[in-house]
Amino acid sequence: MTETTVGIGGAAESTDMVLNIGPQHPSTHGVLRLRLVLDGERIQSAEPVIGYMHRGAEKLFEARDYRQIIMLANRHDWLSAFSNELGVVLAVERMLGMEVPERAVWTRTLLAELNRVLNHLMFLGSYPLELGGITPIFHAFREREDLQHVMEEISGGRMHYMFNRVGGLKDDLPAGWLGRARQAVAEVRSRMGVYDDLVLGNEIFRGRTRGVGVLARETVHAYGVSGPIARASGVDFDLRRDEPYLAYAELQDVLKVAIREEGDCLARFECLLEQTHASLALADACLDRLDELPPGPINQRLPKVLKAPEGHTYAWTENPLGLNGYYLVSKGEKTPYRLKLRSASYNNIQALTELLPGTLVADMVAILGSLFFVVGDIDK
């Protein structure tokens, strides 16, 4: 009888492998690095490594006056530029105790919702792309172009609009703009069925996302996750409804908040899609109201040197990706003593440390793409 012993080395035991995803990974919206510890094909632990795009915007605010900081504030989430600048001017106006003209309030609400649709369309198109479906991104960019045209016409900017001002907006609406905006909204709405049929109706997409990356409600609260991601896990909170700002208090009968209980990748996509439909309805309501308003000012006259009184205030907004907070401290000068940004993506991305462990590497991209973040919004 002959006995043969075959050496199998380290394969006899479970071995860990450290895998770096990034910092140039194609399924991230920016430059993010994930440090994964793997046991075979299963993720044991995950650590998001951030800071590759850090611009030091909060420190730069301290050397710019209240007109100039808008240019810095609208760039951290480049898909939500209008909403970013809006939060800053709301904080300064609150510090000044300033009332904004009614036309400016309704126009800001309209543009904020159009900006929300632009943001969501990018993720509605790019998420299927990350899972292997190339067609939806072409539809998303076509819809985005319709809205980009009206946003560019009113502001002159394509991504960084620079249209908000302390006290209102930069300019009044161009002649005939409301009609062109209404037409663009109608055209986008007429083609939104593509995402219901082409994406949600696709069995491969549903197979890759249903039951994958389930985010518990307790984790949402623990990490401060907000926006569509939190609402997909059953956290029923939307600042536009629960603490209304701008004209949202008068739009409660139109505003519909998308909620899901499953908390998986599919639920997050469904919430984003439903919220896009809701924003288009809000935009129509704002257009109706602006049609009824009499001519009037779009902004307040400001002194040549604008100084906020000494004190501090906190303003927050329901940005497309979640809650954005702006903590402003003033010493009575023309520049802020401190302006702290609380960006949605920073908190949302931290949930990866809870979401990824225990999942397969193949599901990592599906989970990562469903968190709908912008890396500049993390690093700011």
Side-chain angles (χ1 to χ4, degrees):
M1 182 176 178
T2 305
E3 231 176 69
T4 305
T5 303
V6 179
I8 54 176
E13 299 178 2
S14 176
T15 57
D16 294 342
M17 179 175 69
V18 178
L19 179 66
N20 280 294
I21 304 293
Q24 301 292 348
H25 196 268
S27 68
T28 65
H29 297 270
V31 186
L32 175 74
R33 174 183 162 210
L34 289 178
R35 183 181 180 275
L36 307 179
V37 178
L38 307 180
D39 180 6
E41 286 292 311
R42 199 163 293 278
I43 299 172
Q44 286 189 326
S45 67
E47 177 192 0
V49 182
I50 65 174
Y52 291 94
M53 297 183 65
H54 185 55
R55 299 182 297 116
E58 292 177 351
K59 191 64 180 174
L60 292 172
F61 289 151
E62 299 170 15
R64 269 75 176 172
D65 66 33
Y66 288 106
R67 294 179 175 90
Q68 294 169 328
I69 59 176
I70 298 171
M71 180 273 295
L72 290 167
N74 71 4
R75 282 165 164 74
H76 55 90
D77 174 3
W78 46 80
L79 296 177
S80 312
F82 186 87
S83 301
N84 297 338
E85 24 177 281
L86 179 62
V88 171
V89 297
L90 288 176
V92 178
E93 288 162 3
R94 181 175 296 178
M95 185 77 86
L96 292 166
M98 180 180 290
E99 289 290 331
V100 176
E102 188 178 12
R103 281 178 61 79
V105 171
W106 281 96
T107 307
R108 280 177 172 180
T109 310
L110 168 62
L111 296 176
E113 291 306 315
L114 292 180
N115 193 201
R116 193 182 310 275
V117 176
L118 282 168
N119 176 291
H120 291 353
L121 282 171
M122 175 61 77
F123 289 105
L124 290 173
S126 66
Y127 185 42
L129 179 66
E130 290 157 10
L131 298 180
I134 193 172
T135 308
I137 193 70
F138 296 115
H139 291 279
F141 269 88
R142 180 183 61 185
E143 271 67 88
R144 277 175 55 85
E145 281 302 312
D146 289 339
L147 296 177
Q148 286 281 23
H149 285 322
V150 295
M151 295 291 282
E152 188 173 2
E153 180 187 358
I154 195 174
S155 67
R158 191 165 170 81
M159 286 186 68
H160 306 300
Y161 304 108
M162 285 300 297
F163 198 56
N164 276 291
R165 294 291 185 274
V166 176
L169 295 168
K170 176 175 177 284
D171 293 309
D172 205 345
L173 306 175
W177 184 86
L178 289 175
R180 291 187 288 277
R182 191 184 297 277
Q183 182 181 357
V185 169
E187 288 177 357
V188 171
R189 182 188 286 106
S190 69
R191 297 194 290 258
M192 287 300 294
V194 166
Y195 304 98
D196 292 308
D197 303 331
L198 188 65
V199 182
L200 285 181
N202 186 289
E203 61 183 77
I204 298 175
F205 178 83
R206 299 183 75 87
R208 290 289 307 275
T209 55
R210 187 194 286 117
V212 175
V214 177
L215 181 62
R217 187 180 306 188
E218 297 76 22
T219 307
V220 169
H221 292 307
Y223 283 85
V225 176
S226 59
I229 302 172
R231 291 192 282 274
S233 295
V235 178
D236 189 2
F237 181 77
D238 190 308
L239 205 59
R240 298 171 296 171
R241 180 196 63 196
D242 301 320
E243 288 192 29
Y245 58 100
L246 293 181
Y248 290 115
E250 300 181 48
L251 293 168
Q252 295 301 302
D253 56 334
V254 182
L255 176 61
K256 300 289 187 281
V257 179
I259 302 294
R260 294 290 186 278
E261 296 294 334
E262 295 84 358
D264 56 8
C265 295
L266 181 60
R268 291 191 279 273
F269 186 86
E270 288 176 341
C271 272
L272 200 72
L273 179 56
E274 192 173 324
Q275 188 167 289
T276 308
H277 285 287
S279 291
L280 291 169
L282 286 169
D284 268 339
C286 291
L287 288 165
D288 291 340
R289 180 65 173 148
L290 284 167
D291 275 335
E292 299 168 359
L293 287 178
I298 200 78
N299 50 38
Q300 295 275 23
R301 292 183 64 87
L302 299 177
K304 187 174 182 180
V305 178
L306 179 65
K307 295 183 178 181
E310 188 169 350
H312 60 92
T313 190
Y314 184 78
W316 56 341
T317 56
E318 185 71 44
N319 268 35
L321 297 179
L323 294 177
N324 268 39
Y326 307 83
Y327 180 58
L328 174 63
V329 181
S330 172
K331 296 290 187 180
E333 301 295 331
K334 65 178 182 179
T335 61
Y337 176 76
R338 184 81 171 91
L339 179 55
K340 167 68 178 164
L341 296 180
R342 188 270 188 206
S343 59
S345 297
Y346 181 82
N347 291 71
N348 293 352
I349 201 66
Q350 301 307 313
L352 283 172
T353 58
E354 300 283 344
L355 274 177
L356 290 179
T359 63
L360 296 171
V361 176
D363 290 329
M364 183 269 298
V365 173
I367 297 170
L368 186 63
S370 73
L371 288 188
F372 312 130
F373 61 90
V374 170
V375 178
D377 202 40
I378 302 170
D379 290 345
K380 55 184 189 296

